[in-house]
């Protein structure tokens, strides 16, 4: 890359951020990117020196990442040519650490090198930052180092113990493990929940031409009680005994922090925490929103004034109510602003559908925070029952009217409109149109969604804005947690209806237990949690983990020495590692004897294997008679799978038939669910059952897969180098590396030389595990 001799060199961590900043600086500035972190702690000792030397004050080795050598070479050339260097990495601890690593690698003095920070990428913010540079804050750097060192020590010392002792165990993390524990505890609450049924009574009354819907103030425990109540209504009179009207005010929420953005994006848009942060990062780097990792709900005076002016112009004076929100979190990491648009007038910030949806959510929430409360009127009509049974129960009809929209004008009303009640007066007699007693069931605690888990972690003081998305992604990647896909099970409910002076009973159905999008711990996650709880309780203790986060905060402010904090955690933790050698693996392994196979007479076991819960036919004690293995049936656990289900599981793989070309089609269940196999091609058959899928259905899925593969392959240059059409657009691959094809480039025009060049510049792809085929434990 040719560099012109310019006086000023600005270094940031992102190419997109560099591109945006360069638009606002003059021709005397060169803006380059480090493309994230440039150094990391090596995985192994270097010349006999451990990566983290605990005995020598936690002295840490760093090595330049191999794929960053070319970037560093370019940065060194530019730094040598420039008169003044400005480090403009993000203003949080990670950004401060990157700036420090840059001084180390480029040979700059951290005590004198200009460090500039800004919470939005706008011309005014950058010009202001240039006017007020500072130097690197070593307290922030030390706080980042403390987190990195602690996580490295825990991971490197605890993970090998987990591999040896825990079936299916891959690794354990200091912050991820408490998150898995939360999900395991919730799952066990659900399993232990004993639901009760009752009957909820609703009715429709006639008042002239109007209908009033009401609900009985109490529920009935049994069907006979509900039935008797309905029969008594036949000869009853119904009178309005009371009408109460009360004003209500609904206030807007504070503008977004990282946590609340992830929660709302999950509940309103269905975004995962990872997807939310990816979109927010793009919006920030494009200069559309303020910095997206923040604990603060504060807004600048300029931003508030701009919002107030926009609201006044767009909606009128009555809709403006300026507010200053205070940050509740005692551990707020930085004095940033809340997440808001850099220009509140801008409605469209991105051509990307997902980024635009997130921007719109941020913009509306920001505007709402400076708008007047919504004014409502709530009404309750009480309907008295008069009959020989002298019932003390009453029906209540509830309604709500929005008198003034206020902030609801921009930040959504409820999904369901409240009932608007007709005008009635006390003493009015109403006619009963119909009454219904429907069986309802008490609900177990709800499983966590990504959004609600983020809220819980924040409430417990576990993690920080920069770590929530990583925590949730890591526990899924490691196989300790998975996202539910179940639509629920059908159950029968009793429905009693009184109409035309007759009570009718009928059975209806409803779905229960849907877990789509919810976070569910796997068997490996449960075993890991039990193992850590029994032998490393310090690692998954909520209070202790929160205390560690608070200690990082103290290091960042200079009120706690890094090494004292590390000693407080590491020394007792290391003692537990030393004692772990005596832990018996057999006591941790989950094995349940289900019964005997009627054909072979062999024992069938449910147990935890390398890739999760599985079934085993044969004890394995006789080396000459090797056991058979089968995946656990969908939706079943080691504790719940029945003998019948286990026997059926061993009928797989099943030969479904042949393709027109004569290839055998086999149906089976693997680690990732049910599939059919044709030669070396594996095709997911969800939601079909591998025991019952027909040849016709299999051939249809096969043809669709072949068509998708044809559309996916744009070009094949041989030697493994291909141009493919992927989920996120066209890319080049050699089987080891993937490289995205730049926007605006026709993928069909990419030559072999182009492909090789793109692959040379791309970082190495992470390896992926093979799919479980049911043959190995």
């Amino acid at each position: 890359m040719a560099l012109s001799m310019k006086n000023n060199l600005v270094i940031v961590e992102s190419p997109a951020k560099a591109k945006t900043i360069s638009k606002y600086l003059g021709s005397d500035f060169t803006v380059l990117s480090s493309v994230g972190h440039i150094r990391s702690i090596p995985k192994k000792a270097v010349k006999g020196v451990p990566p983290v030397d605990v005995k020598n004050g936690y002295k840490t080795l760093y090595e330049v990442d191999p794929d960053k050598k070319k970037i560093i070479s370019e940065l060194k050339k530019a730094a040598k040519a420039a008169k003044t260097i400005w480090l403009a990495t993000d203003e949080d601890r990670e950004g401060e650490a990157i700036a420090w690593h840059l001084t180390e690698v480029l040979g700059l003095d951290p005590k004198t090198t200009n460090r500039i920070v800004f919470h939005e990428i706008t011309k005014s913010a950058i010009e202001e930052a240039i006017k007020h540079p500072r130097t690197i804050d070593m307290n922030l750097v030390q706080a980042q180092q403390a987190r990195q060192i602690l996580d490295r020590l825990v991971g490197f010392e605890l993970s090998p113990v987990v591999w040896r002792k825990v079936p299916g165990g891959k690794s354990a993390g200091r912050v991820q493990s408490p998150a898995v524990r939360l999900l395991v505890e919730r799952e066990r609450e659900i399993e232990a929940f004993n639901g009760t049924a009752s009957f909820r009574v609703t009715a429709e009354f006639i008042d002239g031409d109007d209908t009033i819907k009401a609900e009985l103030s109490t529920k009935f425990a049994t069907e006979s009680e509900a039935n008797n109540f309905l029969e008594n209504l036949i000869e009853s009179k119904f009178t309005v005994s009371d009408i109460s009207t009360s004003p209500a005010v609904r206030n807007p929420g504070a503008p977004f922090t990282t946590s609340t953005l992830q929660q709302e994006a999950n509940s309103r848009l269905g975004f995962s925490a990872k997807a939310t942060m990816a979109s927010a990062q793009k919006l920030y780097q494009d200069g559309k929103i303020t910095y997206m990792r923040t604990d603060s709900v504060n807004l600048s005076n300029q931003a508030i004034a701009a919002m107030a002016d926009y609201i006044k112009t767009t909606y009128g004076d009555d809709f403006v109510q300026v507010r200053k929100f205070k940050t509740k979190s005692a551990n707020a990491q930085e004095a940033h602003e809340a997440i808001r648009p850099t220009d509140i007038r801008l409605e469209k910030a991105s051509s990307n559908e997902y980024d635009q949806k997130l921007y719109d959510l941020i913009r509306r929430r920001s505007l709402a925070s400076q708008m007047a409360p919504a004014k409502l009127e709530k009404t309750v009509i009480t309907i008295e029952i008069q009959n020989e049974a002298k019932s003390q129960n009453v029906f209540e009809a509830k309604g709500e009217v929005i008198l003034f929209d206020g902030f609801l004008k921009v930040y959504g009303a409820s999904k369901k409109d409240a009932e608007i009640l007709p005008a009635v007066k006390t003493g009015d007699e109403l006619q009963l149109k119909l009454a219904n007693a429907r069986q309802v069931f008490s609900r177990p605690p709800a499983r966590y969604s990504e959004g609600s888990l983020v809220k819980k972690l924040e409430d417990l003081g576990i993690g920080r804005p920069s770590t929530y998305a990583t925590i949730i992604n890591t526990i899924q990647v490691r196989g300790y947690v998975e996202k539910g896909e179940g639509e629920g099970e059908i159950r029968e409910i009793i429905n009693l209806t009184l109409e035309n002076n007759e009570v009718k009973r009928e059975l209806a159905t409803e779905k229960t237990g849907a877990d789509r999008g919810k976070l569910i711990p796997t068997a490996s996650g449960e075993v890991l949690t039990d193992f850590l709880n029994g032998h490393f309780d310090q690692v998954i203790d909520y209070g202790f983990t929160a205390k560690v986060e608070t200690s990082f905060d103290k290091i960042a402010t200079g009120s706690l020495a890094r090494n004292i904090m590390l000693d407080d955690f590491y020394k007792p933790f290391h003692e537990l590692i030393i004692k772990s050698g005596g832990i018996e693996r057999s006591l941790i392994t989950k094995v349940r004897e289900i019964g005997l196979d009627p054909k072979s007479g062999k024992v069938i076991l449910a147990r935890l294997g390398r890739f999760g819960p599985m079934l085993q036919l044969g004890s394995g004690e006789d080396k000459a008679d090797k056991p058979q293995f089968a995946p656990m049936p969908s939706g079943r656990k080691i504790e719940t799978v029945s003998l019948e289900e286990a026997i059926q599981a061993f009928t797989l793989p099943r030969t479904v038939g042949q393709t027109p070309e004569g290839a055998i089609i086999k149906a089976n269940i693997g680690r990732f669910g049910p599939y059919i196999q044709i030669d070396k091609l594996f095709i997911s058959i969800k939601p079909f059952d591998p025991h019952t899928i027909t040849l016709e259905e299999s051939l249809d899925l096969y043809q669709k897969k072949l068509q998708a593969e044809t559309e996916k392959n744009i070009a094949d240059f041989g030697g493994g180098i291909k141009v493919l059409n992927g989920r996120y657009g066209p890319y080049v691959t050699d089987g080891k590396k993937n490289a995205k094809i730049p926007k605006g480039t026709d993928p069909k025009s990419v030559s072999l030389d182009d492909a090789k060049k793109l692959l040379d510049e791309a970082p190495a792809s992470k390896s992926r595990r093979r799919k479980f085929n049911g043959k190995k434990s």
Side-chain angles (χ1 to χ4, degrees), residues 288-476:
K288 306 303 183 187
I289 63 169
T290 52
Y291 192 55
M292 66 287 162
R293 294 189 185 98
T294 176
D295 291 337
S296 175
V297 291
N298 181 50
L299 292 173
S300 69
N301 290 332
Q302 295 96 319
I304 291 173
M307 288 179 202
D309 184 59
Y310 179 86
I311 295 162
K312 198 179 292 183
T313 304
T314 309
Y315 303 107
D317 291 357
D318 292 345
F319 283 84
V320 180
Q321 184 167 320
V322 169
R323 291 179 188 82
K324 281 273 191 181
F325 291 90
K326 288 188 177 180
T327 302
K328 291 179 182 177
S329 172
N331 298 319
Q333 199 183 100
E334 279 83 28
H336 298 149
E337 273 195 77
I339 303 168
R340 62 163 175 83
T342 54
D343 181 357
I344 201 67
R345 298 166 300 177
L346 185 68
E347 291 185 22
K348 187 170 176 62
S350 175
S351 58
N352 179 283
E353 179 189 356
Y354 296 99
D355 298 350
Q356 178 58 33
K357 280 183 179 179
L358 192 72
Y359 176 79
D360 187 59
L361 186 70
I362 292 167
R363 182 173 178 270
R364 288 176 180 276
R365 177 75 167 229
S366 300
L367 282 170
S369 75
Q370 301 305 312
M371 292 180 75
K375 294 178 183 176
L376 307 98
E377 185 177 78
K378 293 186 175 183
T379 302
V380 178
I381 298 174
T382 305
I383 301 165
E384 191 178 72
I385 305 165
Q386 296 167 337
N387 57 24
E388 290 181 1
K390 296 183 179 178
S391 173
Q392 297 300 307
N393 295 310
V394 293
F395 283 99
E396 288 184 339
K398 295 179 180 179
E400 185 178 272
V401 177
I402 297 173
L403 302 176
F404 175 66
D405 286 332
F407 78 94
L408 293 177
K409 197 87 173 172
V410 298
Y411 202 73
S414 59
K415 293 177 184 176
K416 187 179 178 183
D417 291 331
E419 194 76 22
I420 297 175
L421 300 174
V424 293
K425 59 183 183 296
T426 305
D428 281 359
E429 192 171 313
L430 307 176
Q431 300 300 313
L432 179 67
K433 181 181 179 183
L434 63 87
N436 176 268
R438 185 182 179 88
Q439 190 178 28
V440 292
F441 294 86
S442 53
R443 292 183 179 180
R447 288 189 174 97
Y448 287 104
S449 63
E450 288 202 12
S452 60
L453 182 59
V454 167
K455 186 176 189 309
K456 186 66 176 178
L457 290 170
E458 184 183 38
D459 291 344
L460 291 171
I462 296 172
R464 287 294 180 265
S466 59
T467 61
Y468 297 135
T470 305
I471 291 168
I472 291 171
N473 184 57
T474 301
I475 60 179
Q476 291 178 76

Side-chain angles (χ1 to χ4, degrees), residues 89 131 151 287 377 522 595 670 688:
T89 48
K131 289 178 189 173
D151 289 347
E377 185 177 78
T522 62
F688 292 106

Side-chain angles (χ1 to χ4, degrees), residues 12 65 90 95 305 384 480 490 597 754:
V12 297
D65 297 333
D90 289 344
E384 191 178 72
Y480 296 137
I490 300 293
D597 176 33
D754 294 334

